[in-house]
Amino acid sequence: MPFALKLEEEISIPENIHVNVSNGKIRVKGPKGSLEKEFDTRKIAIEKMDGKILLSVLYPDKRLKAYLYTVKSHINNMFQGVLKGYRYRLRVVQVHFPMEVEVKDRKVLIKNFTGERRPREAPIIGDVKVYMDGRDVVVEGVNKEEVGQTAANIQLATVIRDKDLRKFIDGIYIYRREVIE
């Protein structure tokens, strides 16, 4: 294989999206909301031209090539988020004790988890919407990272310690990740 002095990737901008690129900072605005993310411009050049975003690296090695494709994936996730949005569904599983789950003040409160007196708390990250739908906790938003981290915080808040995990299956578990259609 010949050695490439420059590696370039193009990302076409979808129709209903407005993109602004300046000094490595990308602002994406669409029908569901807006996102902003900053990338390291010492490693990669980001330009907007003719309805496309051009990513380029001079003298690409293995790490720079990986970084370029990571930036490309982040930008595509931003486009997907502002066009459609992301949703995680978590199931509330209770066998031993009746558990109460409530959303209050940018936190998810889990009351009476395995008979504990103090409620467990899971923080809601960023501009993410969390609500109850029957036995499910639904987490929605436009930023894939914030939605995923909020869902992970809720699941991690109900980790069982000092009990037999084969018998105590109580908790809140992620069971579906989806793009909102």
Side-chain angles (χ1 to χ4, degrees):
M1 276 176 76
F3 179 73
L5 295 176
K6 187 172 185 179
L7 178 64
E8 290 184 340
E9 282 290 322
E10 286 184 353
I11 305 170
S12 59
I13 300 172
E15 286 182 15
N16 297 330
I17 292 181
H18 175 70
V19 177
N20 184 11
V21 177
S22 64
N23 296 333
K25 190 177 279 191
I26 298 180
R27 291 180 190 87
V28 179
K29 189 172 183 179
K32 291 272 186 170
S34 62
L35 291 173
E36 182 177 315
K37 193 158 182 87
E38 190 169 353
F39 298 102
D40 190 0
T41 55
R42 294 174 297 165
K43 298 178 180 178
I44 189 169
I46 304 172
E47 302 171 43
K48 178 185 171 190
M49 42 182 17
D50 301 332
K52 294 182 180 179
I53 294 178
L54 183 68
L55 307 172
S56 60
V57 174
L58 280 176
Y59 307 112
D61 61 354
K62 192 160 81 172
R63 288 190 179 126
L64 287 177
K65 191 174 178 182
Y67 184 69
L68 179 113
Y69 290 118
T70 300
V71 169
K72 182 178 178 182
S73 293
H74 278 292
I75 293 170
N76 283 327
N77 288 340
M78 290 169 74
F79 290 165
Q80 185 102 27
V82 297
L83 277 178
K84 297 180 180 179
Y86 294 99
R87 178 186 299 140
Y88 275 63
R89 289 187 166 275
L90 296 93
R91 176 69 42 95
V92 177
V93 178
Q94 52 194 11
V95 176
H96 290 90
F97 295 94
M99 188 184 337
E100 281 183 50
V101 180
E102 157 185 347
V103 180
K104 187 176 185 182
D105 298 333
R106 306 298 301 158
K107 290 182 183 174
V108 177
L109 297 176
I110 302 138
K111 297 178 182 174
N112 199 35
F113 179 68
T114 63
E116 295 174 350
R117 292 181 182 188
R118 216 171 106 210
R120 293 191 180 196
E121 297 178 353
I124 298 173
I125 308 295
D127 189 26
V128 174
K129 182 177 156 191
V130 179
Y131 60 92
M132 296 296 298
D133 182 24
R135 288 179 22 183
D136 292 348
V137 179
V138 181
V139 181
E140 292 181 349
V142 295
N143 190 332
K144 186 176 187 176
E145 296 165 14
E146 291 175 352
V147 171
Q149 186 61 55
T150 300
N153 289 343
I154 295 168
Q155 181 169 329
L156 287 173
T158 60
V159 170
I160 300 279
R161 292 178 183 86
D162 302 327
K163 290 186 174 66
D164 188 355
L165 296 178
R166 295 169 293 180
K167 292 185 179 181
F168 284 85
I169 60 168
D170 296 29
I172 302 175
Y173 302 102
I174 297 171
Y175 75 93
R176 184 180 295 154
R177 291 181 286 258
E178 58 192 9
V179 175
I180 301 171
E181 293 299 326

